[in-house]
Amino acid sequence: MDDARTRLAGGLYADIALRSDDLTVIPGVRFPFDTLMAPQLPEPRLAVRLRLRDQVRLKFAAGRYQQAPSTPNLLPGTGDPDLPITGSWQVSAGLESTIANRLELLVDVYGKTLEDPLIHPVDAPARTTSAGRAMGVELVSRYRLLEVIFLRAWVALARSQVRAADGSWRPADGDQPLIAGLVGSWDIDDVWTLGVRYRYGSGLPYTPVQDSLYDAGTDSWLPIAGPLNGARLPAYQKVDVRLARDIVWDRWTLNIAGELWYVPRSSAQLYPTYNFDYSEQGFVIGPTLLPLLSARATF
């Protein structure tokens, strides 16, 4: 019989803003609740913004965060009802600068520690490991020309790791050491807009199957997992082209847009797949060219 659960989760947040001419300090606290989990501790937060000089700002943030497992991971059969909440202490600092009111430069550095992060083994339901960590730096630049051409570029270097059962640090499920992108938008006239976006990301890690074992009782082959997240998908690249038109009436605006997404076949590998005895590995390939048409009404 299926196991059904009723779940209510959320949180109450309170903060206070303390401001002077150049300094803003915002202490706060979040009180989370989840009917499927044990009572959670309050999550203190702090945000600070300091204007060093005109168009140069420094920002800092720190706090405690918690994330409960998803409902399927807590159900018997598909998960473990005793999974704990993942806790995290996080800190970040950044610098924002604007040059000639046109060029914006942003630098952010962050780090966090994880307690009981969730991992997804090949041959078992999701479980937690003892610890995790993440750190990175992100550079963002935005530029506008004659109020009709907008450019945005970014690059991020980051690592996200979890501690494996043998005590070594392994890539976390979403670990991408390098992410970069470029977005351009051109307001051709009052109604037409043309946009182009390019994205690059390191391939996501996955846990490969290194061997298999034949089970005569069920006449099936059982996978034997390799090192946790010991392999990676190929690097991901994607190019989007978007052409949009605004149709304006007295009380509302209709935006109609056509998009074309292109992903090289080498970047379209979604996840690994295996033959019956796990002796051969392949990949499920997603679409490489996808046209889209959308409409949005604004009142």
Side-chain angles (χ1 to χ4, degrees), residues 254-257 293-297:
L254 178 65
N255 178 271
I256 300 176
L293 182 64
S294 63
R296 180 183 64 191

Side-chain angles (χ1 to χ4, degrees), residues 2 5 22 26 31 50 56 62 67 87 91 100 106 110 115 129 142 152 160 168 182 189 193 204 236 241-242 247 255:
D2 293 338
R5 299 288 180 93
D22 297 322
I26 307 176
F31 300 93
L50 174 64
V56 179
Q67 182 175 358
V91 61
L106 303 90
Y110 69 89
E115 304 147 14
T129 187
R142 291 193 289 259
R152 182 176 184 267
S160 179
S168 63
L182 176 66
D189 53 28
T193 302
L204 291 171
Y236 180 79
V241 179
R242 184 177 191 270
I247 303 175
N255 178 271

